[in-house]
Amino acid sequence: MEASLKKVIFTCGGTAGHVNPAIALAQLMREKDPETEFLFVGAERGLEKDLIPKAGYDFRSIEVSSFQRSLSPSGIAHNVKSLKNLALAGSRARAILRDFRPDLVVGTGGYASYPMVKYAAKEGIPTAVHESNMVPGLTTKMLEGYAGCIMVGFEECRQHYKHPEKIVVTGTPVRGDFFQTREQARQKLGLTDDRPLAVSFWGSLGARFMNEHMLDFFRLEARDGMPFHHIHAAGKGSWDTMRQTLEAEQLTKTPGLDVREYIYDMADVMRAADLVICRAGASTVSELTALAVPAVIVPSPYVTNNHQEKNARILEKHGGAQVILEKDATGEALYRAAGEILRSPELRRSMSAGMAELGIPDATERIYRTVMALRK
């Protein structure tokens, strides 16, 4: 690493898709130069407040809040408060910059990124933004004029920016433990036969609704004698209800069906999977493309700017995924789609190739080279 780069601020938050790329880059920078100092800046009430200290990094907070599109009295009141928070966040950001004196500021999404990147750029500090979604979020749009460069996941992202010359296609980092062989992963999971593995999970937004459909999916699997292995994560909000239903219908005794509250060994499970049934959050999309795993995707309709469907459509365009909108995603429809893919090795190979076209396994290294070039 260049000797002049000794202090780096990462600013991120809101979702794991924003936090994880920053942590991955910090870890690589630390490997290349253990003397580098890091500071993470995020929102006081965001999940980053827990994730970042657990990863071993210092954390400072800025009071920021979202903006609503609604023009209702409550929506207007919320946005007025958000504007006040944003004004106060500017002075807080400047104070952090004066105190820490970074050589580089990298924003990876979330409202806290805005004041930190903006005021760093105004002070002549090199800045970069990483956008993990197909289309830029509000924060990235607001920072496009300030940031030295904007790093994106796919070449198709470039068309959504006013300054395409600032865009660098780097991909989105995926944890290193995902990159094992499929055979190693299946062995860890105790899968000893030749049946393919389906993996399903829904995240938090709308998970309860989708889990109701998954019960129908499980019933169809059991009826057909479990034609494939299936690991499903219900999530905290749905686990108790789902477990009670599975026990009442004796579906817990179905061989090959593994329903859990949470998938703690996600690296093994994703690597062993022949098909993933999921939402289209940025982290999931980066994992699917890096591992070249076929997918049936039900984009969450509950996210701002419908960015999950836009993420999913690019995978569909390249032949790596089948997209089913939530209104059409019954248990029967999902089971039919999954069965068609899992019964056809040829179709799985074709979909895997489509995913691989988009995958960038060395995304962290690309991001590192890109931000280091800003110092030259």
Side-chain angles (χ1 to χ4, degrees):
M1 180 181 284
E2 297 178 9
S4 60
L5 183 54
K6 288 299 181 183
K7 290 189 172 185
V8 180
I9 285 179
F10 290 101
T11 175
C12 54
T15 69
H18 293 150
V19 177
N20 289 338
I23 292 176
L25 180 55
Q27 289 172 338
L28 180 60
M29 285 184 162
R30 178 168 280 176
E31 289 173 11
K32 291 182 180 289
D33 185 354
E35 299 300 315
T36 306
E37 295 180 46
F38 300 100
L39 175 66
F40 281 72
V41 180
E44 176 65 32
R45 293 186 296 273
L47 56 74
E48 58 269 27
K49 186 178 180 182
D50 295 322
L51 288 179
I52 290 165
K54 284 181 181 177
Y57 297 100
D58 292 336
F59 175 77
R60 294 189 196 176
S61 63
I62 287 182
E63 182 64 29
V64 290
S65 50
S66 63
F67 288 90
Q68 295 183 359
R69 296 173 182 268
S70 170
L71 296 179
S72 67
S74 62
I76 293 172
H78 176 90
N79 288 343
V80 169
K81 182 180 178 181
S82 294
L83 285 170
K84 290 180 179 178
N85 286 340
L86 193 59
L88 294 172
S91 60
R92 173 67 171 158
R94 290 193 293 269
I96 291 173
L97 291 169
R98 284 195 303 268
D99 180 43
F100 190 71
R101 298 185 178 279
D103 302 304
L104 172 71
V105 174
V106 181
T108 58
Y111 291 105
S113 295
Y114 177 73
M116 290 305 307
V117 173
K118 175 183 175 181
Y119 288 104
K122 284 193 166 191
E123 293 185 19
I125 300 168
T127 59
V129 170
H130 181 272
E131 174 57 70
S132 52
N133 286 303
M134 171 64 186
V135 294
L138 177 60
T139 302
T140 302
K141 285 182 178 178
M142 292 166 63
L143 287 173
E144 187 174 357
Y146 294 102
C149 72
I150 297 176
M151 301 171 288
V152 299
F154 312 111
E155 181 60 41
E156 285 92 334
C157 299
R158 195 183 300 272
Q159 64 185 300
H160 298 289
Y161 291 85
K162 295 179 181 178
H163 299 283
E165 72 281 359
K166 284 189 174 185
I167 306 306
V168 182
V169 180
T170 61
T172 298
V174 173
R175 286 178 6 217
D177 55 349
F178 277 72
F179 297 104
Q180 56 187 309
T181 68
R182 179 175 176 272
E183 290 70 26
Q184 288 172 328
R186 285 181 68 89
Q187 187 175 14
K188 289 180 183 178
L189 297 175
L191 304 179
T192 57
D193 59 26
D194 294 330
R195 280 185 297 163
L197 170 65
V199 174
S200 54
F201 51 87
W202 299 114
S204 57
L205 296 174
R208 187 184 299 273
F209 176 73
M210 290 306 303
N211 275 317
E212 292 175 3
H213 291 312
M214 291 310 296
L215 285 167
D216 288 331
F217 191 111
F218 303 151
R219 293 177 184 117
L220 291 169
E221 286 179 309
R223 180 200 68 187
D224 292 346
M226 285 303 295
F228 41 81
H229 295 282
H230 187 178
I231 297 174
H232 176 73
K236 184 176 181 180
S238 301
W239 173 239
D240 288 338
T241 301
M242 177 169 276
R243 181 176 56 184
Q244 290 170 10
T245 303
L246 291 171
E247 290 175 350
E249 299 184 22
Q250 297 191 330
L251 289 170
T252 52
K253 298 180 180 179
T254 306
L257 177 60
D258 180 358
V259 182
R260 315 174 182 181
E261 179 178 354
Y262 186 77
I263 299 175
Y264 289 99
D265 53 346
M266 185 60 85
D268 297 333
V269 169
M270 285 284 282
R271 190 65 189 93
D274 295 280
L275 175 71
V276 176
I277 306 165
C278 59
R279 296 297 199 187
S283 290
T284 301
V285 167
S286 62
E287 290 160 5
L288 291 171
T289 55
L291 298 175
V293 182
V296 173
I297 295 180
V298 183
S300 173
Y302 310 107
V303 296
T304 304
N305 202 24
N306 197 30
H307 72 244
Q308 282 209 5
E309 183 175 351
K310 292 167 183 173
N311 289 346
R313 292 299 181 189
I314 188 172
L315 305 186
E316 182 183 56
K317 176 183 174 182
H318 283 258
Q322 179 176 341
V323 178
I324 301 177
L325 297 181
E326 187 171 285
K327 64 184 180 65
D328 303 316
T330 63
E332 183 177 355
L334 290 170
Y335 182 67
R336 186 167 58 247
E340 178 183 350
I341 296 167
L342 290 170
R343 282 193 300 270
S344 172
E346 183 178 344
L347 178 55
R348 291 205 304 275
R349 282 193 294 271
S350 172
M351 294 180 73
S352 179
M355 283 292 191
E357 289 176 3
L358 295 166
I360 303 179
D362 64 339
T364 309
E365 182 69 36
R366 290 192 186 198
I367 292 171
Y368 171 77
R369 292 197 301 266
T370 300
V371 300
M372 291 306 297
L374 295 172
R375 293 288 299 163
K376 295 178 181 179

